[in-house]
Amino acid sequence: MAGNAKAAALRTQLAKGEFILAPGIYDGISARVADRMGFPALYMTGYGATASMLGLPDAGLATYSDMVGRAEMICSVIETPLIADADTGYGGLLNVQRTVRGYEAAGVAAIQIEDQEMPKKCGHTPGRRVVPAEDMVLKIRVATEARRDPATLIVARTDARTALGLDEALRRARLYEEAGADIIFVESPESEAELERIGREVEKPLLANMVEFGKTPRVEAARLKKWGFDLAIYPGLGFSVAAEAMREAWLHLKKKGTSLDMKVPQYRGMHELMGFPDVWDFEKKWAQD
């Protein structure tokens, strides 16, 4: 499925009212595993991408080049529409234009831009500050004009809840709706009552961030949909489970001196998952005696 076709497919699902669950992916292995599982969309997490590329926290350290390169690689190995974190757009208005066009060319279906000051921080950590709402409105307008295909979706995220309160976050959400964002993302509400209020007051398709060990209570999809949400991302689930599985496996190795008899399950189809059968077929056709 081509990049624009993926965006169109995601738009169609939203228009039909189908609730979209999107697991967080961050590298080639996580992308290939999730792509086979029939999810309607996948989410490229900035936290996970930064951690897996740099071994560093999601604190504005990954550059546009880092992230667009990771998005391009992921899109090249999946068929599922990708929603991708693009931080603040990596600068001013010209940067936003470049970011949208670069992510779109990489094959991304939906591009997420937030209203934090630079350098940005992970949405469930302290000390986040936001730009004036009017500055973000301009970024959204630039982003919607910059896309080369109208099917590409722009996700507008506000981080105002933590520092400025829910009223200000909702005021910004309404401004971002009016500016032309396709999906609204109010980051880090702190109770189920806040989630319900966001669902009542936001008109555009609405995204919930169900992050592990964060400020927002994790709620099952049926209740989120009932409250007015259209999408839920699970950015931290994959890498937190993977990290703990590696820790347990390597602890077993350290203690026992062997990988035999581990309790941690292993993915037995790795060669097939990574595309080795295609390599072997190619070699059969072209290998010289």
Side-chain angles (χ1 to χ4, degrees):
M1 194 187 299
N4 291 340
K6 292 176 184 178
L10 189 57
R11 279 188 178 272
T12 297
Q13 290 177 88
L14 285 171
K16 289 180 177 178
E18 298 175 6
F19 193 86
I20 294 169
L21 278 175
I25 59 172
Y26 51 91
D27 67 0
I29 295 175
S30 60
R32 283 181 177 270
V33 171
D35 188 52
R36 293 173 166 222
M37 299 188 68
F39 285 100
L42 306 177
Y43 179 76
M44 187 184 83
T45 156
Y47 189 125
T50 301
S52 62
M53 280 189 289
L54 305 177
L56 293 172
D58 182 19
L61 299 171
T63 65
Y64 162 76
S65 297
D66 290 332
M67 295 296 285
V68 76
R70 181 56 58 102
E72 183 177 23
M73 179 277 291
I74 287 173
C75 286
S76 74
V77 299
I78 64 174
E79 294 297 324
T80 311
L82 183 69
I83 305 164
D85 187 352
D87 290 348
T88 64
Y90 306 102
L93 298 180
L94 272 174
N95 300 88
V96 170
Q97 181 190 66
R98 179 180 184 230
T99 296
V100 168
R101 290 179 177 172
Y103 271 53
E104 193 177 38
V108 172
I111 303 162
Q112 175 194 306
I113 299 173
E114 64 202 38
D115 61 3
Q116 282 195 53
E117 289 184 358
M118 294 182 66
K120 60 82 47 132
K121 298 181 180 181
C122 173
H124 288 254
T125 57
R128 286 170 293 136
R129 298 193 299 181
V130 292
V131 300
E134 295 74 18
D135 292 355
M136 181 63 173
V137 164
L138 285 176
K139 284 190 174 186
I140 295 167
R141 289 176 178 168
V142 168
T144 57
E145 186 177 285
R147 57 192 171 192
R148 300 190 186 278
D149 191 292
T152 301
L153 295 115
I154 303 300
V155 182
R157 167 176 143 178
T158 179
D159 283 67
R161 164 64 187 92
T162 301
L164 302 178
L166 186 60
D167 287 345
E168 174 60 13
L170 285 167
R171 184 184 78 87
R172 287 170 178 251
R174 289 187 284 271
L175 288 173
Y176 302 166
E177 285 182 303
E178 293 168 7
D182 301 292
I183 297 170
I184 300 297
F185 176 178
V186 178
E187 177 63 297
S188 57
E190 298 183 5
S191 68
E192 291 189 7
E194 290 192 4
L195 285 166
E196 288 189 77
R197 183 180 170 195
I198 292 165
R200 288 195 304 270
E201 296 191 22
V202 175
E203 296 296 328
K204 290 280 186 77
L206 188 56
L207 183 151
N209 188 10
M210 297 286 101
V211 67
E212 314 302 305
F213 316 115
K215 294 177 178 291
T216 304
R218 281 175 284 171
V219 178
E220 62 272 19
R223 278 205 291 165
L224 288 171
K225 183 175 182 179
K226 179 181 177 182
W227 294 342
F229 286 83
D230 303 271
L231 310 89
I233 58 172
Y234 286 75
L237 180 59
F239 64 71
S240 62
V241 170
E244 177 60 13
M246 284 188 281
R247 191 195 67 81
E248 289 187 8
W250 292 333
L251 182 62
H252 178 96
L253 176 64
K254 183 179 179 182
K255 288 181 175 179
K256 304 292 186 181
T258 179
S259 62
L260 295 172
D261 302 321
M262 286 193 308
K263 295 180 180 179
V264 180
Q266 297 183 54
Y267 198 108
R268 295 186 177 276
M270 283 298 297
H271 287 339
E272 194 268 336
L273 175 71
M274 299 311 298
F276 269 99
D278 292 335
V279 173
W280 297 329
D281 288 343
F282 180 90
E283 288 174 342
K284 285 179 183 177
K285 180 176 181 180
W286 294 106
Q288 305 255 337
D289 292 333

